[in-house]
Amino acid sequence: MRQVTVLGSCGAFPEPGRACSGFAVDWNGYRVVLDLGYATLPRLLRHWPDGAVDAVVITHEHPDHCVDLHGLFRMRFYGQPAGPRLPLFCPPGVLDRLSGLEPDVDLRTVFDLHPLPGSYRVGPFDLTGLSLPHFVPNAGIRLVADGIVVAYSGDTGPTPALAELGRDADLFIVEATDHDGESGRSRRNLMTSTEAGLWARRAGARRLMLTHFWPGNDRAAAVAAAQAEFEGAVLAAQEGLAVMLGIPAN
């Protein structure tokens, strides 16, 4: 099985019945998590009931992208026999921020830290983390295996690096916050749905998944705005949605 499953799709804080940013990548039995924001851990455990994860990738230190990593830490530290440390790929600041929740234990007893940006071999994947503009250090993620590309922006402002990140991606997951007033800021750290479509087109991606919706936003309107710029399939991230990789788009 080769698929991406949405664990959470909200930015900032979760709407009722939803969660913040998070995605589970299944690749023929190898399991990678991309971000673990608010309320994603229970959904991860519903998807993988044994809680076994092969690697975790966190784009940046904001809690709507990383706070449930601490729950995963507690599950492994307190609830499971000691075993090999879990590979964790993230920018500086993620563990520093989470360590404030429980300063009397060291998160590195559970996690084997690998800094981003950078490039690594992770199971079947070539993983590349590219620096993208945000309020804090942030890495867009590109996973490549058997010629299939999954790319994920985390949070970002508009930047030519998005075209490199999502180049020829089978699935390009891009934030589309559509926060009021964001597009008029002199320094951009978030994007609109229209911009997500524009950069997916410039990247030559095959499919675009919009995510990081500001709570209360109209997701159908976001998809329509992206479709005005991108001719490929446009999906709205929805909790529990599973997208098969390497098969023709609907």
Side-chain angles (χ1 to χ4, degrees), residues 7 20-23 33-41 44 56-59 62-70 72:
L7 303 176
C20 283
S21 298
F23 300 87
V33 182
L34 304 177
D35 279 350
L36 277 169
Y38 296 114
T40 53
L41 182 58
L44 175 70
V56 177
V57 184
I58 302 293
T59 57
H62 283 158
D64 58 330
H65 291 257
C66 77
V67 76
D68 272 21
L69 181 64
H70 192 269
L72 183 62

Side-chain angles (χ1 to χ4, degrees), residues 67-203:
V67 76
D68 272 21
L69 181 64
H70 192 269
L72 183 62
F73 163 78
R74 289 180 67 90
M75 177 182 172
R76 289 190 169 234
F77 188 77
Y78 295 111
Q80 296 180 347
R85 291 188 298 161
L86 177 62
L88 171 63
F89 303 84
C90 63
V94 171
L95 288 189
D96 291 339
R97 182 169 293 220
L98 291 180
S99 66
L101 296 173
E102 200 165 7
D104 53 329
V105 295
D106 185 356
L107 276 69
R108 289 172 177 82
T109 60
V110 168
F111 299 121
D112 181 16
L113 184 62
H114 303 273
L116 294 176
S119 297
Y120 301 93
R121 184 68 182 178
V122 183
F125 295 108
D126 290 321
L127 182 156
T128 303
L130 297 179
S131 181
L132 297 178
H134 195 45
F135 299 98
V136 296
N138 173 62
I141 306 302
R142 182 178 173 90
L143 298 174
V144 183
D146 293 345
I148 296 173
V149 179
V150 176
Y152 171 46
S153 72
D155 287 355
T156 183
T159 171
L162 285 166
E164 179 183 355
L165 179 71
R167 181 70 61 205
D168 299 325
D170 182 59
L171 181 66
F172 195 8
I173 306 170
V174 184
E175 71 107 331
T177 310
D178 285 324
H179 190 215
D180 288 345
E182 180 62 33
S183 60
R185 295 180 183 272
S186 58
R187 180 179 177 183
R188 299 293 307 285
N189 292 302
L190 296 169
M191 291 209 303
T192 67
S193 302
T194 300
E195 290 167 333
L198 171 67
W199 286 107
R201 172 166 56 82
R202 290 179 177 175

